[in-house]
Amino acid sequence: MVSVSSFQDTNIPEDSGARNMENFTFKAHRRAFLFALSLITSIYAFGYAVKEISAQKEDGTAGGSRHINFIEDKFSYLNIAVVSRRFVERSLQCALMCLESLPCFSFNLAAFPDNNDKLLCEHLPSDKYNNSEKFIPSNAFHHFSIWSPCSAVVCGNNGKCVALYKENSYVCLCTEGFTGRNCEAARGRLFAAKTQ
C-alpha cells in the first residue's frame, strides 16, 4: 500500500527550520511514492510480459552485443529436429542459452517443471513461420520464437509468410489463385481489372 501525504499551508516563515523539514518530508514521500509506483509498474509489466522474453549477452567483441526478443506461444510445440536439450530453472536461462548458440532460432520449453523443479528446454534451428505445418498444439510445452517480420504480417487466403531475416522483410507464398504482397488479390479479379 502506498500512502500520499498532502501538506496544508501554515503560517510558518519561509526561512524556518520547520518549513524546510516539511519540504524535506514532502520530497521524501514523493520519492517513496515514485519508487513504489515504478516498482509496482515493473512487477506488473514483468508479470504481464511473460509472453515476450528479451535476452542480451555480450559476445566478447569490443562494444558488441546481441539482442533477441522471443515471443511466447503458450501450449504450442514446434515439432522439428532439436539442436540441444537442457534442463533449466527459468525460461530466461533457456533464452540465454539459445542466444549463445548460433543455430538456435527458437525453443520449446516445458510448461510444467519435472520432479526436480526443472524445465526441459529444447533449442531449435528454425522458427514456426518456416515450419508452420509442424507447429502444433501441446499440453506440455510453450514455444518461443524470435521476433520475425512475419510476427506482424498476415498472409491472406491461407498464404504462408516466409521471414527474410537479413533484409528484415518477408515474402508471402500465396496459395493457387491468389497474388499480391499479402496474397490479398484473387488472380482472376486482378486479370479482369487489367483488361477493363
Side-chain angles (χ1 to χ4, degrees):
M1 179 176 191
V2 178
S3 65
V4 180
S5 302
S6 63
F7 295 96
Q8 300 272 335
D9 190 24
T10 59
N11 291 329
I12 301 171
E14 284 296 325
D15 61 338
S16 156
R19 171 62 84 180
N20 290 339
M21 181 59 121
E22 186 175 311
N23 286 338
F24 174 77
T25 304
F26 176 73
K27 287 178 184 175
H29 280 291
R30 183 169 181 246
R31 276 192 213 120
F33 172 73
L34 292 175
F35 174 76
L37 183 61
S38 72
L39 184 63
I40 290 168
T41 304
S42 297
I43 291 170
Y44 175 76
F46 178 76
Y48 184 72
V50 169
K51 68 190 256 187
E52 183 173 310
I53 294 177
S54 178
Q56 184 169 340
K57 184 161 181 73
E58 293 298 319
D59 67 2
T61 60
S65 67
R66 294 184 352 185
H67 182 86
I68 299 175
N69 288 327
F70 291 96
I71 311 294
E72 180 183 21
D73 287 292
K74 286 186 174 281
F75 298 106
S76 299
Y77 187 80
L78 185 56
N79 192 16
I80 62 173
V82 174
V83 173
S84 68
R85 283 187 177 90
R86 303 266 166 74
F87 286 94
V88 297
E89 293 177 0
R90 297 186 325 254
S91 58
L92 184 58
Q93 290 171 311
C94 190
L96 287 171
M97 284 186 232
C98 185
L99 183 62
E100 291 173 347
S101 174
L102 287 179
C104 184
F105 276 81
S106 66
F107 60 91
N108 295 320
L109 183 69
F112 307 102
D114 65 5
N115 292 339
N116 297 321
D117 284 333
K118 301 281 184 173
L119 300 168
L120 178 61
C121 168
E122 298 178 338
H123 294 124
L124 308 172
S126 191
D127 62 22
K128 66 182 182 178
Y129 303 104
N130 293 320
N131 294 280
S132 58
E133 68 283 352
K134 296 181 180 181
F135 188 61
I136 58 174
S138 170
N139 292 329
F141 283 90
H142 300 314
H143 178 73
F144 293 79
S145 282
I146 63 173
W147 181 90
S148 164
C150 292
S151 300
V153 172
V154 176
C155 296
N157 300 303
N158 294 320
K160 178 182 176 183
C161 184
V162 176
L164 304 173
Y165 289 106
K166 288 183 180 178
E167 292 84 23
N168 194 24
S169 188
Y170 68 93
V171 174
C172 285
L173 300 178
C174 303
T175 55
E176 192 172 330
F178 294 95
T179 188
R181 174 99 170 124
N182 295 326
C183 305
E184 69 278 2
R187 283 202 178 136
R189 286 188 204 155
L190 184 62
F191 179 73
K194 283 185 179 179
T195 58
Q196 291 178 351

